[in-house]
Amino acid sequence: SQEKIPLILISDGIVRNNHLLEANKDIKWLKKELKKRNITNLKDVFIMSYDESGKIFIQTLPYRITTEQRTLQTKLWQHSSEF
């Protein structure tokens, strides 16, 4: 059987209602899953995915910011090593 790509339930703090329906879940379930992980605000969620085996992946926003900062630092470091 062909494996389905995980459904994106939240991206950039926005709930993808069509995907939530496809996963046979509702907003109550979604909020409960977030609360289990101490996430109280949907806007803090950069990405949340759910696959058919029931695996949930959540990436919160602060991480994305530090990744951008790290990329910037790497660029600056590479740049400065050229001199």
Side-chain angles (χ1 to χ4, degrees):
S1 67
Q2 200 187 342
E3 263 194 69
K4 278 192 199 157
I5 295 165
L7 292 165
I8 303 296
L9 302 183
I10 301 171
S11 61
D12 272 318
I14 297 159
V15 178
R16 306 287 167 199
N17 287 307
N18 52 334
H19 289 176
L20 201 57
L21 281 170
E22 220 179 301
N24 294 313
K25 301 291 178 192
D26 59 15
I27 197 81
K28 215 169 114 178
W29 171 86
L30 191 75
K31 286 181 172 173
K32 199 176 89 181
E33 288 302 322
L34 293 175
K35 203 177 172 190
K36 274 187 207 170
R37 293 158 178 85
N38 297 313
I39 301 162
T40 51
N41 194 338
L42 285 171
K43 286 181 171 44
D44 291 337
V45 182
F46 172 48
I47 206 117
M48 176 179 181
S49 69
Y50 178 82
D51 69 20
E52 54 186 3
S53 70
K55 197 163 148 292
I56 294 166
F57 172 80
I58 298 172
Q59 185 70 75
T60 50
L61 276 168
Y63 176 83
R64 189 172 64 147
I65 295 159
T66 56
T67 306
E68 283 169 6
Q69 285 170 345
R70 200 177 300 129
T71 308
L72 190 65
Q73 281 168 352
T74 308
K75 278 181 187 161
L76 289 170
W77 183 79
Q78 284 168 343
H79 191 69
S80 63
S81 65
E82 284 166 14
F83 298 107

Coordinates of all heavy atoms in Angstrom, one line a residue:
S1 N 0.8 -1.2 0.0 CA 0.0 0.0 0.0 C 0.9 1.3 0.0 O 1.9 1.3 0.7 CB -0.9 0.0 1.2 OG -0.2 0.2 2.4
Q2 N 0.4 2.2 -0.8 CA 1.2 3.5 -0.9 C 1.0 4.3 0.3 O -0.1 4.5 0.8 CB 0.7 4.2 -2.1 CG 1.7 5.3 -2.6 CD 1.1 6.1 -3.7 OE1 0.1 5.8 -4.4 NE2 1.8 7.3 -4.0
E3 N 2.1 4.8 0.9 CA 2.1 5.6 2.1 C 1.7 7.1 1.7 O 2.2 7.6 0.8 CB 3.4 5.7 2.8 CG 3.5 4.7 3.9 CD 4.7 4.9 4.8 OE1 4.7 6.0 5.5 OE2 5.7 4.1 4.8
K4 N 0.8 7.6 2.5 CA 0.3 8.9 2.3 C 1.3 9.9 2.9 O 2.0 9.6 3.9 CB -1.0 9.2 2.9 CG -2.2 8.7 2.1 CD -3.5 9.2 2.7 CE -4.7 8.4 2.2 NZ -5.8 8.6 3.2
I5 N 1.4 11.1 2.3 CA 2.3 12.1 2.8 C 1.5 12.7 4.0 O 0.3 12.8 4.0 CB 2.4 13.3 1.7 CG1 3.2 12.7 0.5 CG2 3.1 14.5 2.3 CD1 3.1 13.6 -0.7
P6 N 2.3 13.0 5.1 CA 1.6 13.5 6.3 C 0.8 14.8 5.9 O 1.2 15.6 5.1 CB 2.8 13.9 7.2 CG 3.9 13.0 6.8 CD 3.7 12.8 5.3
L7 N -0.3 14.9 6.6 CA -1.2 16.0 6.4 C -0.7 17.2 7.2 O -0.4 17.0 8.4 CB -2.6 15.7 6.8 CG -3.4 14.7 5.9 CD1 -4.6 14.2 6.7 CD2 -3.8 15.3 4.6
I8 N -0.6 18.4 6.6 CA -0.2 19.6 7.3 C -1.5 20.1 8.0 O -2.4 20.6 7.3 CB 0.4 20.6 6.4 CG1 1.6 20.1 5.7 CG2 0.7 21.9 7.2 CD1 2.8 19.7 6.5
L9 N -1.6 20.1 9.3 CA -2.8 20.5 10.0 C -2.7 22.0 10.4 O -3.7 22.7 10.4 CB -3.0 19.7 11.3 CG -3.2 18.2 11.1 CD1 -3.5 17.5 12.4 CD2 -4.3 17.9 10.0
I10 N -1.5 22.5 10.6 CA -1.2 23.9 10.9 C 0.0 24.3 10.2 O 1.0 23.6 10.2 CB -1.0 24.2 12.4 CG1 -2.2 23.7 13.2 CG2 -0.8 25.7 12.7 CD1 -2.0 23.8 14.8
S11 N -0.1 25.5 9.5 CA 1.2 26.0 9.0 C 1.1 27.5 9.2 O 0.1 28.2 9.0 CB 1.3 25.7 7.5 OG 0.3 26.3 6.7
D12 N 2.2 28.0 9.8 CA 2.4 29.5 10.1 C 1.2 29.9 11.0 O 0.7 31.0 10.8 CB 2.5 30.3 8.9 CG 4.0 30.5 8.5 OD1 4.8 30.6 9.4 OD2 4.2 30.4 7.3
G13 N 0.8 29.1 12.0 CA -0.2 29.5 12.9 C -1.7 29.4 12.4 O -2.6 29.7 13.1
I14 N -1.8 28.9 11.1 CA -3.1 28.8 10.5 C -3.6 27.4 10.4 O -2.8 26.6 9.8 CB -3.2 29.5 9.1 CG1 -2.9 31.0 9.3 CG2 -4.5 29.3 8.4 CD1 -2.4 31.7 8.1
V15 N -4.7 27.1 10.9 CA -5.3 25.7 10.8 C -5.8 25.5 9.4 O -6.5 26.2 8.8 CB -6.4 25.5 11.8 CG1 -7.0 24.1 11.7 CG2 -5.9 25.7 13.2
R16 N -5.3 24.3 8.8 CA -5.8 23.9 7.5 C -7.0 23.0 7.7 O -6.8 21.8 7.9 CB -4.7 23.2 6.8 CG -3.4 23.9 6.7 CD -3.5 25.1 5.7 NE -2.3 26.0 5.8 CZ -2.4 27.2 5.3 NH1 -3.4 27.7 4.7 NH2 -1.3 28.0 5.4
N17 N -8.2 23.6 7.7 CA -9.4 22.9 8.0 C -9.7 21.7 7.1 O -10.2 20.7 7.6 CB -10.6 23.8 8.1 CG -10.6 24.7 9.3 OD1 -10.5 24.2 10.4 ND2 -10.6 26.0 9.1
N18 N -9.3 21.8 5.8 CA -9.6 20.7 4.9 C -8.7 19.5 5.3 O -9.2 18.4 5.2 CB -9.3 21.2 3.5 CG -7.9 21.9 3.3 OD1 -7.4 22.4 4.2 ND2 -7.4 21.8 2.0
H19 N -7.5 19.7 5.7 CA -6.6 18.6 6.1 C -7.1 18.0 7.4 O -6.9 16.8 7.6 CB -5.2 19.1 6.2 CG -4.5 19.4 4.9 ND1 -3.3 20.0 4.8 CD2 -5.0 19.3 3.6 CE1 -3.0 20.1 3.5 NE2 -4.0 19.7 2.8
L20 N -7.6 18.9 8.3 CA -8.1 18.4 9.6 C -9.3 17.5 9.3 O -9.4 16.4 9.9 CB -8.6 19.6 10.4 CG -8.7 19.5 11.9 CD1 -7.4 19.0 12.5 CD2 -9.1 20.8 12.6
L21 N -10.1 17.8 8.4 CA -11.3 17.0 8.0 C -10.8 15.7 7.4 O -11.3 14.6 7.7 CB -12.2 17.7 7.0 CG -13.2 18.7 7.5 CD1 -13.8 19.5 6.4 CD2 -14.3 18.1 8.4
E22 N -9.8 15.8 6.6 CA -9.2 14.6 5.9 C -8.6 13.6 6.9 O -8.7 12.4 6.7 CB -8.1 15.1 4.9 CG -8.1 14.3 3.6 CD -7.0 14.8 2.7 OE1 -7.0 16.0 2.4 OE2 -6.2 14.0 2.3
A23 N -8.1 14.2 8.0 CA -7.5 13.3 9.1 C -8.6 12.8 10.0 O -8.3 12.1 11.0 CB -6.5 14.1 9.8
N24 N -9.9 13.2 9.8 CA -11.0 12.8 10.6 C -10.8 13.4 12.1 O -11.1 12.7 13.0 CB -11.2 11.3 10.6 CG -11.7 10.8 9.3 OD1 -12.6 11.4 8.7 ND2 -11.1 9.8 8.8
K25 N -10.3 14.5 12.2 CA -10.1 15.2 13.5 C -10.8 16.5 13.5 O -11.2 17.1 12.5 CB -8.6 15.4 13.7 CG -7.7 14.1 13.7 CD -8.0 13.2 14.9 CE -7.2 12.0 14.8 NZ -7.6 11.0 15.8
D26 N -10.9 17.1 14.7 CA -11.6 18.4 14.8 C -10.7 19.3 15.6 O -9.6 18.9 16.2 CB -13.0 18.3 15.4 CG -13.0 17.7 16.8 OD1 -11.9 17.6 17.5 OD2 -14.1 17.3 17.3
I27 N -11.1 20.6 15.7 CA -10.3 21.6 16.4 C -10.1 21.3 17.9 O -9.1 21.6 18.5 CB -11.0 23.0 16.2 CG1 -10.0 24.1 16.5 CG2 -12.3 23.2 16.9 CD1 -9.0 24.4 15.4
K28 N -11.1 20.6 18.5 CA -11.0 20.2 19.9 C -9.8 19.3 20.1 O -9.0 19.4 21.0 CB -12.3 19.6 20.3 CG -12.7 19.9 21.8 CD -14.2 19.5 22.1 CE -14.2 18.3 23.1 NZ -15.5 17.9 23.4
W29 N -9.8 18.3 19.2 CA -8.6 17.3 19.3 C -7.3 18.0 19.1 O -6.3 17.8 19.8 CB -8.9 16.3 18.2 CG -7.7 15.3 18.0 CD1 -7.4 14.2 18.7 CD2 -6.6 15.5 17.1 NE1 -6.2 13.7 18.3 CE2 -5.7 14.5 17.3 CE3 -6.3 16.5 16.1 CZ2 -4.5 14.3 16.6 CZ3 -5.1 16.3 15.4 CH2 -4.3 15.3 15.6
L30 N -7.3 18.9 18.1 CA -6.1 19.7 17.8 C -5.6 20.5 19.0 O -4.4 20.4 19.3 CB -6.4 20.6 16.6 CG -5.2 21.3 15.9 CD1 -4.5 20.3 15.0 CD2 -5.7 22.5 15.1
K31 N -6.5 21.2 19.6 CA -6.1 22.0 20.8 C -5.6 21.1 21.9 O -4.7 21.5 22.7 CB -7.2 22.9 21.2 CG -7.4 24.1 20.2 CD -8.5 25.0 20.6 CE -8.5 26.3 19.7 NZ -9.7 27.1 20.0
K32 N -6.2 20.0 22.1 CA -5.9 19.0 23.1 C -4.4 18.5 22.9 O -3.6 18.5 23.8 CB -6.9 17.9 23.2 CG -6.8 17.1 24.5 CD -7.9 16.0 24.5 CE -7.3 14.7 24.0 NZ -8.3 13.6 24.0
E33 N -4.1 18.2 21.7 CA -2.8 17.7 21.3 C -1.7 18.8 21.5 O -0.6 18.5 22.0 CB -2.7 17.2 19.8 CG -3.5 15.9 19.6 CD -3.0 14.8 20.4 OE1 -1.7 14.6 20.7 OE2 -3.8 13.9 20.9
L34 N -2.1 20.0 21.2 CA -1.1 21.1 21.4 C -0.9 21.4 22.9 O 0.2 21.6 23.4 CB -1.7 22.4 20.8 CG -1.7 22.4 19.2 CD1 -2.3 23.7 18.7 CD2 -0.3 22.2 18.6
K35 N -2.0 21.3 23.7 CA -2.0 21.5 25.1 C -1.1 20.5 25.8 O -0.4 20.8 26.7 CB -3.4 21.5 25.7 CG -3.5 22.3 27.0 CD -4.9 22.3 27.6 CE -4.9 22.9 29.0 NZ -6.2 22.7 29.6
K36 N -1.2 19.2 25.3 CA -0.3 18.2 25.9 C 1.2 18.6 25.8 O 2.0 18.1 26.5 CB -0.5 16.9 25.0 CG -1.6 16.0 25.4 CD -1.5 14.7 24.6 CE -2.9 14.1 24.4 NZ -2.8 13.0 23.4
R37 N 1.5 19.4 24.8 CA 2.9 19.8 24.5 C 3.1 21.2 25.0 O 4.0 21.9 24.6 CB 3.2 19.7 23.0 CG 3.1 18.2 22.5 CD 2.9 18.2 21.0 NE 2.9 16.8 20.6 CZ 1.9 15.9 20.6 NH1 0.7 16.3 21.1 NH2 2.0 14.7 20.1
N38 N 2.2 21.7 25.9 CA 2.3 23.0 26.5 C 2.3 24.2 25.5 O 2.9 25.2 25.6 CB 3.6 23.2 27.3 CG 3.6 22.2 28.5 OD1 2.5 22.1 29.2 ND2 4.6 21.5 28.7
I39 N 1.5 23.9 24.4 CA 1.3 25.0 23.4 C -0.1 25.5 23.5 O -1.0 24.7 23.3 CB 1.6 24.5 21.9 CG1 3.0 24.0 21.8 CG2 1.4 25.6 20.9 CD1 3.3 23.1 20.6
T40 N -0.2 26.7 23.9 CA -1.6 27.3 24.2 C -2.1 28.2 23.0 O -3.2 28.5 22.9 CB -1.6 28.0 25.5 OG1 -0.5 29.0 25.5 CG2 -1.5 27.1 26.7
N41 N -1.1 28.7 22.2 CA -1.5 29.6 21.2 C -1.2 29.0 19.8 O 0.0 28.6 19.5 CB -0.7 30.9 21.3 CG -1.3 32.0 20.5 OD1 -2.0 31.8 19.5 ND2 -1.0 33.2 20.9
L42 N -2.2 28.9 18.9 CA -2.0 28.3 17.6 C -1.0 29.1 16.8 O -0.3 28.5 16.0 CB -3.3 28.4 16.8 CG -4.4 27.4 17.2 CD1 -5.7 27.8 16.5 CD2 -4.0 26.0 16.8
K43 N -0.9 30.4 17.1 CA 0.1 31.3 16.4 C 1.5 30.9 16.7 O 2.4 31.3 15.9 CB -0.2 32.7 16.7 CG -1.5 33.2 16.0 CD -1.7 34.7 16.3 CE -2.9 35.3 15.4 NZ -4.0 34.4 15.3
D44 N 1.8 30.1 17.7 CA 3.1 29.7 18.0 C 3.6 28.5 17.2 O 4.7 28.2 17.2 CB 3.2 29.3 19.5 CG 3.1 30.5 20.5 OD1 3.3 31.6 20.0 OD2 2.7 30.3 21.6
V45 N 2.6 27.9 16.5 CA 2.9 26.7 15.7 C 3.3 27.1 14.3 O 2.6 27.7 13.5 CB 1.7 25.8 15.7 CG1 2.1 24.5 14.9 CG2 1.3 25.4 17.1
F46 N 4.6 26.7 14.0 CA 5.1 27.0 12.6 C 4.5 25.9 11.7 O 4.0 26.1 10.6 CB 6.6 27.0 12.6 CG 7.2 27.0 11.2 CD1 6.8 27.9 10.3 CD2 8.2 26.1 10.9 CE1 7.3 27.9 9.0 CE2 8.8 26.1 9.6 CZ 8.3 27.0 8.7
I47 N 4.6 24.6 12.1 CA 4.1 23.5 11.4 C 3.6 22.4 12.3 O 4.2 22.1 13.3 CB 5.1 23.0 10.3 CG1 4.4 22.3 9.2 CG2 6.1 22.1 10.9 CD1 4.6 23.1 7.9
M48 N 2.5 21.8 12.0 CA 2.0 20.6 12.6 C 1.5 19.6 11.6 O 0.7 20.0 10.8 CB 0.9 20.9 13.6 CG 0.3 19.7 14.3 SD -1.1 20.1 15.4 CE -1.5 18.4 16.0
S49 N 2.1 18.4 11.6 CA 1.6 17.4 10.6 C 1.2 16.2 11.3 O 1.5 15.9 12.5 CB 2.7 17.1 9.6 OG 3.8 16.4 10.3
Y50 N 0.4 15.4 10.6 CA -0.2 14.2 11.2 C -0.2 13.2 10.1 O -0.7 13.4 9.0 CB -1.6 14.5 11.6 CG -2.4 13.4 12.2 CD1 -2.3 13.0 13.5 CD2 -3.4 12.7 11.4 CE1 -3.0 11.9 14.0 CE2 -4.1 11.7 11.9 CZ -3.9 11.3 13.2 OH -4.7 10.2 13.7
D51 N 0.3 12.0 10.3 CA 0.3 10.9 9.3 C -0.7 9.8 9.7 O -1.3 9.8 10.8 CB 1.7 10.4 9.0 CG 2.3 9.6 10.1 OD1 1.5 9.1 11.0 OD2 3.5 9.4 10.1
E52 N -1.0 8.9 8.7 CA -2.0 7.9 8.9 C -1.7 6.9 10.0 O -2.6 6.3 10.5 CB -2.3 7.2 7.6 CG -1.1 6.6 6.9 CD -1.4 6.0 5.5 OE1 -2.6 6.2 5.1 OE2 -0.5 5.5 4.9
S53 N -0.5 6.9 10.4 CA -0.2 6.0 11.6 C -0.4 6.7 12.9 O -0.3 6.1 14.0 CB 1.3 5.5 11.5 OG 2.2 6.6 11.8
G54 N -0.8 8.0 12.8 CA -1.1 8.7 14.0 C 0.0 9.5 14.6 O -0.1 10.1 15.7
K55 N 1.1 9.5 13.8 CA 2.3 10.3 14.3 C 2.1 11.8 14.1 O 1.7 12.2 13.0 CB 3.5 9.8 13.5 CG 4.9 10.2 14.2 CD 6.0 9.3 13.6 CE 7.3 10.0 13.5 NZ 7.4 11.1 12.6
I56 N 2.4 12.5 15.1 CA 2.2 14.0 15.1 C 3.6 14.6 15.1 O 4.5 14.2 15.9 CB 1.4 14.5 16.3 CG1 0.0 14.0 16.2 CG2 1.4 16.0 16.4 CD1 -0.8 14.1 17.5
F57 N 3.8 15.6 14.3 CA 5.1 16.3 14.3 C 4.7 17.8 14.5 O 3.8 18.3 13.8 CB 5.8 16.2 13.0 CG 7.0 17.1 12.9 CD1 8.2 16.8 13.5 CD2 6.9 18.3 12.1 CE1 9.3 17.6 13.4 CE2 8.0 19.1 12.0 CZ 9.2 18.8 12.7
I58 N 5.3 18.5 15.4 CA 5.0 19.9 15.7 C 6.4 20.7 15.8 O 7.3 20.3 16.4 CB 4.3 20.1 17.0 CG1 2.9 19.4 16.9 CG2 4.1 21.6 17.3 CD1 2.1 19.4 18.2
Q59 N 6.4 21.7 15.0 CA 7.5 22.6 15.0 C 7.0 24.0 15.5 O 6.1 24.6 14.8 CB 8.2 22.7 13.6 CG 9.4 23.5 13.6 CD 10.6 22.9 14.3 OE1 11.1 21.9 13.8 NE2 10.9 23.3 15.4
T60 N 7.5 24.5 16.6 CA 7.0 25.9 17.0 C 7.9 27.0 16.4 O 9.0 26.7 15.9 CB 7.0 25.9 18.6 OG1 8.3 25.5 19.0 CG2 5.9 25.1 19.1
L61 N 7.4 28.2 16.5 CA 8.0 29.3 15.8 C 9.4 29.7 16.3 O 10.2 30.0 15.5 CB 7.1 30.5 15.8 CG 6.1 30.5 14.7 CD1 5.0 31.6 14.9 CD2 6.8 30.8 13.4
P62 N 9.7 29.8 17.6 CA 11.0 30.3 18.1 C 12.1 29.6 17.4 O 13.2 30.2 17.1 CB 11.0 30.0 19.6 CG 9.6 30.1 19.9 CD 8.8 29.5 18.8
Y63 N 11.9 28.3 17.1 CA 13.0 27.5 16.4 C 13.3 28.1 15.0 O 14.5 28.2 14.7 CB 12.5 26.1 16.2 CG 13.5 25.2 15.4 CD1 14.6 24.7 16.0 CD2 13.4 25.1 14.0 CE1 15.5 23.9 15.3 CE2 14.3 24.3 13.3 CZ 15.4 23.8 14.0 OH 16.3 23.0 13.2
R64 N 12.3 28.5 14.3 CA 12.5 29.0 13.0 C 13.3 30.3 13.0 O 14.2 30.5 12.2 CB 11.1 29.3 12.3 CG 11.3 29.7 10.8 CD 9.9 29.8 10.2 NE 9.2 30.9 10.7 CZ 8.3 31.6 10.0 NH1 8.1 31.3 8.7 NH2 7.6 32.5 10.5
I65 N 13.1 31.1 14.0 CA 13.8 32.4 14.2 C 15.3 32.1 14.5 O 16.2 32.7 13.9 CB 13.2 33.2 15.3 CG1 11.8 33.7 14.9 CG2 14.1 34.4 15.6 CD1 10.9 34.1 16.0
T66 N 15.6 31.1 15.4 CA 17.0 30.8 15.7 C 17.7 30.2 14.5 O 18.8 30.4 14.3 CB 17.1 29.8 16.9 OG1 16.3 28.7 16.6 CG2 16.6 30.5 18.2
T67 N 16.9 29.4 13.6 CA 17.5 28.9 12.4 C 17.9 30.0 11.5 O 19.0 30.0 10.9 CB 16.5 27.9 11.7 OG1 16.0 27.0 12.6 CG2 17.1 27.2 10.5
E68 N 17.1 31.0 11.3 CA 17.4 32.1 10.5 C 18.6 32.9 11.0 O 19.5 33.3 10.3 CB 16.2 33.1 10.4 CG 15.1 32.6 9.4 CD 13.8 33.3 9.5 OE1 13.8 34.4 10.2 OE2 12.8 32.9 8.9
Q69 N 18.7 33.0 12.3 CA 19.8 33.7 12.9 C 21.1 32.9 12.7 O 22.1 33.5 12.4 CB 19.6 33.9 14.5 CG 18.6 35.0 14.8 CD 18.2 35.0 16.2 OE1 18.4 34.1 17.0 NE2 17.5 36.1 16.6
R70 N 21.0 31.6 12.8 CA 22.1 30.7 12.7 C 22.6 30.8 11.2 O 23.8 30.9 11.0 CB 21.8 29.3 13.0 CG 23.0 28.4 13.3 CD 22.6 27.0 13.7 NE 21.8 27.0 14.9 CZ 20.6 26.3 15.0 NH1 20.1 25.7 13.9 NH2 19.9 26.3 16.1
T71 N 21.7 30.9 10.3 CA 22.1 31.0 8.9 C 22.8 32.3 8.6 O 23.8 32.4 7.9 CB 20.8 30.9 8.0 OG1 20.1 29.7 8.3 CG2 21.2 30.8 6.5
L72 N 22.2 33.4 9.3 CA 22.8 34.7 9.1 C 24.2 34.7 9.7 O 25.2 35.2 9.1 CB 22.0 35.7 9.9 CG 22.3 37.2 9.7 CD1 22.1 37.6 8.2 CD2 21.4 38.0 10.6
Q73 N 24.4 34.1 10.9 CA 25.7 34.0 11.5 C 26.7 33.3 10.7 O 27.9 33.7 10.5 CB 25.6 33.3 12.9 CG 25.1 34.2 14.0 CD 24.7 33.4 15.3 OE1 24.7 32.2 15.3 NE2 24.4 34.2 16.3
T74 N 26.3 32.2 10.1 CA 27.1 31.4 9.2 C 27.5 32.2 8.0 O 28.7 32.2 7.6 CB 26.4 30.1 8.7 OG1 25.9 29.4 9.9 CG2 27.3 29.2 8.0
K75 N 26.6 33.0 7.4 CA 26.9 33.8 6.3 C 27.9 34.9 6.6 O 28.9 35.1 5.9 CB 25.6 34.5 5.7 CG 24.8 33.6 4.8 CD 23.6 34.3 4.3 CE 22.7 33.3 3.5 NZ 21.3 33.9 3.4
L76 N 27.7 35.5 7.8 CA 28.6 36.5 8.2 C 30.0 36.0 8.5 O 31.0 36.6 8.1 CB 28.1 37.2 9.5 CG 26.9 38.1 9.4 CD1 26.3 38.4 10.8 CD2 27.2 39.3 8.7
W77 N 30.0 34.8 9.1 CA 31.3 34.1 9.4 C 32.0 33.8 8.1 O 33.2 34.0 7.9 CB 31.1 32.9 10.2 CG 32.4 32.2 10.6 CD1 33.2 32.6 11.6 CD2 33.0 31.1 9.9 NE1 34.3 31.7 11.6 CE2 34.2 30.8 10.6 CE3 32.6 30.3 8.8 CZ2 35.0 29.8 10.2 CZ3 33.4 29.2 8.4 CH2 34.6 29.0 9.1
Q78 N 31.3 33.2 7.1 CA 31.9 32.9 5.8 C 32.4 34.1 5.1 O 33.5 34.2 4.5 CB 30.9 32.2 4.9 CG 30.6 30.8 5.3 CD 29.4 30.2 4.6 OE1 28.5 30.9 4.1 NE2 29.3 28.9 4.7
H79 N 31.6 35.2 5.2 CA 32.0 36.5 4.6 C 33.3 37.0 5.2 O 34.2 37.5 4.5 CB 30.8 37.5 4.8 CG 31.0 38.7 3.9 ND1 30.9 38.7 2.6 CD2 31.2 40.0 4.3 CE1 31.1 39.9 2.1 NE2 31.3 40.7 3.1
S80 N 33.4 37.0 6.5 CA 34.5 37.6 7.2 C 35.8 36.8 7.0 O 36.9 37.3 7.0 CB 34.2 37.7 8.7 OG 34.1 36.4 9.3
S81 N 35.6 35.5 6.7 CA 36.8 34.6 6.5 C 37.4 34.8 5.1 O 38.4 34.3 4.8 CB 36.4 33.2 6.8 OG 35.5 32.7 5.8
E82 N 36.7 35.6 4.3 CA 37.2 35.8 2.9 C 38.3 36.9 2.9 O 39.0 37.1 2.0 CB 36.0 36.3 2.0 CG 35.1 35.1 1.6 CD 33.8 35.6 1.0 OE1 33.7 36.8 0.7 OE2 32.9 34.8 0.8
F83 N 38.3 37.7 4.0 CA 39.3 38.8 4.1 C 40.6 38.3 4.7 O 40.6 37.4 5.5 CB 38.7 39.9 4.9 CG 37.5 40.5 4.2 CD1 36.3 40.3 4.8 CD2 37.6 41.3 3.1 CE1 35.1 40.8 4.2 CE2 36.4 41.8 2.5 CZ 35.2 41.5 3.0

